[in-house]
Amino acid sequence: MMEVSRRNAIFGAAALGAGAFLPQAAAASVTKWDRKTDILVVGAGLAGLTAAVTALRHGAKVLVIDKRMWFGGDGVLSAGQFYSARTKLHDEAGITKNVEVEDYWKQIQSGVDDEPLSKVRDNLRLSVIYSGVNKHNPEVLHRSAEYSPKVVEFVQSYGIKFRKMNPAKPFQCPTENGSMSRFAEGMVKEIERRGGKVLGNTRATEIVMEKGRAVGVKAAPTNGGKPVCIGARSIVIATGGFLNNKSMMERYKRFWSKIPTGFSAVGEGVPPDHTGDGIVMGKKAGAAVEDMESMPKLYAGPQKGTPGISWIMFDVDTAYLVTKAGKRITDEHQSRYSGCALKLLSTHNEVGYAIFDEKTFRGPNRDRWQFEKALKGGGLFKADTPEALASKVGVDPKGLRETIDRINRDGKVGKDTEFGRKDPLFRAMTPPYYITAANWPLAYKTEGGLEVNPDFNVLRASDEKPIPGLYAIGSTCGSISTRLCDVVASGLIVGVTAARK
Ligand SMILES: Cc1cc2nc3c(=O)[nH]c(=O)nc-3n(C[C@H](O)[C@H](O)[C@H](O)COP(=O)(O)OP(=O)(O)OC[C@H]3O[C@@H](n4cnc5c(N)ncnc54)[C@H](O)[C@@H]3O)c2cc1C
């Protein structure tokens, strides 16, 4: 995250500069512009910053505005895990089979590892519709999958280091802790070095349309200063999702609007200002939306103030999920953090707990999950027997004893008789055992938004034709997933297409 000074001084006439580009449409425009640029990017999250850098590299003049006083959006709060088809990281790790773009695409379509094409697409938590309902035009998502190796290279070009890859999850490319702030910071610096501008505390309120073309944006300083009109040849909307827009959540997500939000803990880790501004403005300008009813992305976290341990650990470490009754409810590895949270909801369990043993605690990911911090801070407990472990967090001791005994019996012969886990992380545990504090299912980001074509040009609702001058990327756009890899890919693509004259 970064603090930026002098935000509002920029609203002076001098900020535009004498040589500023006059947008074609704006030349005949009836709107009086306070400033003009080639490309106006609305939203300085990772999608918007990537688009801005790319457009500048392609010779366009770029202005970025953001309603916050810090830049990088959710990306800088994120766990920094990318996904990609074959990259140099794969080659270095010796992972070279079945990792090409079409293998990656097959996995996306099957939905076995996370989103996006195959998952809950309606509003019932017990929905039978878990797969097979596709995006209107899968070509958009396919294009961002093709770009995934370029995304990893782009991130690396800012000096970001990736963790060692896990052959069992060959498309996951996790970055080191804290990398995403440096990534955002690097992009902001490059934008400024190339003569672009990133203005904070500046909220877009309306897309200005003339003769069916998007020609600018009305924006207002968030501290109550005078609103301005900014003209541009291309407007790239990158304002994020709508998790905190109550009426949109109730209209589109129904059941999901009622569950708590957060990430690191209930109500924490995601700023509560995801009001879907870009989607609202786009709809007013006549844009189509897609995938609005899909399930928001789920996570799980403890109560405020309790250090959490990410359930992403189910991907790479031996650990199991139990309920208050001490029972397992799913194949943790295949379900992943999001599927585990969904399973708690669909089985009417209010909370869940991760359990593991000393080998995991001392394992290669102990710093990544910050086990010591959790142990000291009341987020993790240790005991020699299942009964003693259960008593630390109020889980049923008999249930936990039965569960651990069964895991240990099954683990010795490598056969999960309860949920059929087949991954190599399924094994018996040896004491001492560990159990996390209770974790609640949470929603932390939305899927769904403005519909675009493969150039990320926004489509008109009335005839599904592109709206000239209007683009949507990142989690404002309903045609891709809201994962970092797709969000950054959309910025790389639009930076070129929107810069074209
Ligand atoms: C806690 C957390 C952890 C995550 N971990 C991962 C992960 O490990 N891997 C992964 O793939 N994904 C992860 N995600 C998801 C991923 O981080 C986001 O989907 C992605 O960063 C979204 O980027 P974006 O640029 O589209 O939107 P955002 O990051 O939401 O950025 C939008 C920007 O637009 C600005 N804005 C909004 N409205 C206006 C307006 N009217 N005018 C001007 N500016 C406006 C906002 O202030 C914000 O800066 C995580 C998300 C969260 C919240």
Side-chain angles (χ1 to χ4, degrees):
M1 283 189 231
M2 69 214 75
E3 300 276 331
V4 181
S5 58
R6 297 188 304 109
R7 302 264 177 272
N8 301 314
I10 319 276
F11 276 96
L16 188 57
F21 173 84
L22 185 66
Q24 272 173 357
S29 170
V30 290
T31 309
K32 191 171 169 293
W33 303 112
D34 297 284
R35 40 193 324 153
K36 291 168 198 144
T37 184
D38 291 356
I39 316 278
L40 173 64
V41 179
V42 184
L46 296 187
L49 292 177
T50 304
V53 164
T54 309
L56 280 158
R57 288 181 186 177
H58 282 79
K61 287 196 168 63
V62 178
L63 174 65
V64 187
I65 59 171
D66 198 293
K67 67 181 178 181
R68 292 181 184 148
M69 63 180 294
W70 52 274
F71 306 137
D74 285 359
V76 300
L77 313 166
S78 78
Q81 173 141 293
F82 286 77
Y83 284 75
S84 180
R86 189 168 177 176
T87 59
K88 278 196 187 135
L89 297 171
H90 290 81
D91 293 348
E92 280 157 20
I95 304 169
T96 53
K97 286 211 178 91
N98 306 325
V99 286
E100 304 305 329
V101 169
E102 285 316 307
D103 302 306
Y104 177 46
W105 180 244
K106 267 189 219 144
Q107 173 159 318
I108 290 174
Q109 281 182 307
S110 74
V112 289
D113 194 46
D114 215 13
E115 45 200 331
L117 284 189
S118 313
K119 62 181 180 184
V120 177
R121 292 262 167 218
D122 67 13
N123 292 299
L124 306 171
R125 64 182 159 166
L126 299 174
S127 172
V128 291
I129 303 174
Y130 194 80
S131 61
V133 184
N134 289 356
K135 298 277 184 188
H136 295 168
N137 179 2
E139 186 47 38
V140 184
L141 188 56
H142 190 278
R143 192 153 183 226
S144 87
E146 284 165 28
Y147 261 72
S148 60
K150 289 197 187 101
V151 168
V152 169
E153 263 177 47
F154 179 69
V155 175
Q156 284 177 313
S157 74
Y158 289 92
I160 303 307
K161 300 265 178 296
F162 282 78
R163 290 174 175 275
K164 199 164 161 246
M165 293 196 62
N166 171 12
K169 295 279 177 191
F171 300 114
Q172 289 184 357
C173 306
T175 54
E176 289 183 351
N177 289 358
S179 297
M180 291 299 97
S181 299
R182 281 190 291 118
F183 177 40
E185 223 167 272
M187 288 198 281
V188 171
K189 278 191 189 141
E190 180 171 346
I191 291 167
E192 288 170 352
R193 201 174 61 242
R194 289 180 180 274
K197 282 193 166 59
V198 189
L199 309 186
N201 290 337
T202 307
R203 179 178 192 161
T205 53
E206 190 183 327
I207 297 165
V208 181
M209 299 292 293
E210 284 182 5
K211 295 184 184 146
R213 182 186 174 97
V215 291
V217 153
K218 286 188 187 165
T222 52
N223 62 5
K226 189 173 162 283
V228 288
C229 281
I230 307 170
R233 187 179 70 220
S234 299
I235 293 131
V236 179
I237 305 291
T239 50
F242 59 97
L243 191 65
N244 308 109
N245 184 320
K246 194 164 177 285
S247 65
M248 280 172 90
M249 286 296 285
E250 283 172 355
R251 176 181 165 90
Y252 293 112
K253 309 271 189 212
R254 285 163 249 170
F255 164 77
W256 307 107
S257 67
K258 295 182 179 56
I259 69 169
T261 60
F263 192 75
S264 43
V266 177
E268 284 182 349
V270 191
D273 61 353
H274 294 70
T275 41
D277 298 5
I279 303 168
V280 174
M281 289 188 291
K283 280 177 72 179
K284 276 195 191 139
V289 288
E290 81 166 299
D291 208 16
M292 296 293 283
E293 278 86 6
S294 62
M295 183 181 76
K297 198 67 191 291
L298 304 181
Y299 205 69
Q303 286 297 346
K304 274 184 192 171
T306 304
I309 290 179
S310 169
W311 286 4
I312 298 176
M313 76 177 297
F314 294 134
D315 287 349
V316 288
D317 283 298
T318 296
Y320 304 94
L321 172 68
V322 297
T323 62
K324 207 160 189 53
K327 298 291 178 193
R328 282 177 70 206
I329 48 172
T330 188
D331 172 339
E332 300 83 355
H333 185 69
Q334 184 162 348
S335 299
R336 306 196 64 229
Y337 61 92
S338 192
C340 285
L342 176 63
K343 195 73 189 179
L344 283 178
L345 287 165
S346 64
T347 54
H348 305 281
N349 279 289
E350 199 189 357
V351 292
Y353 309 76
I355 56 168
F356 49 91
D357 68 357
E358 190 71 7
K359 193 168 168 199
T360 295
F361 185 83
R362 301 266 162 232
N365 296 311
R366 61 183 180 274
D367 293 337
R368 185 174 178 195
W369 312 130
Q370 304 194 303
F371 289 147
E372 293 285 357
K373 184 177 166 207
L375 199 59
K376 283 192 191 115
L380 185 66
F381 303 88
K382 175 182 179 180
D384 287 326
T385 64
E387 289 80 4
L389 196 68
S391 71
K392 308 253 182 193
V393 287
V395 161
D396 177 45
K398 190 164 166 281
L400 192 63
R401 157 65 69 186
E402 284 167 8
T403 296
I404 291 183
D405 283 351
R406 185 165 180 175
I407 291 169
N408 290 347
R409 267 195 320 274
D410 287 354
K412 278 191 188 119
V413 292
K415 189 167 186 232
D416 178 9
T417 56
E418 209 172 3
F419 294 102
R421 267 181 73 160
K422 294 189 179 73
D423 59 280
L425 295 170
F426 182 77
R427 61 162 173 81
M429 300 191 286
T430 38
Y433 300 116
Y434 293 82
I435 191 163
T436 63
N439 275 239
W440 276 255
L442 306 166
Y444 72 99
K445 61 171 182 169
T446 50
E447 300 276 322
L450 301 179
E451 184 168 355
V452 299
N453 67 14
D455 281 342
F456 290 86
N457 212 172
V458 173
L459 302 184
R460 208 167 16 231
S462 57
D463 59 3
E464 289 147 37
K465 296 270 187 310
I467 299 178
L470 190 61
Y471 299 83
I473 54 170
S475 45
T476 311
C477 154
S479 311
I480 53 167
S481 88
T482 58
R483 300 185 300 175
L484 291 173
C485 48
D486 295 321
V487 161
V488 173
S490 67
L492 289 176
I493 295 167
V494 94
V496 180
T497 50
R500 259 185 229 138
K501 291 193 182 160

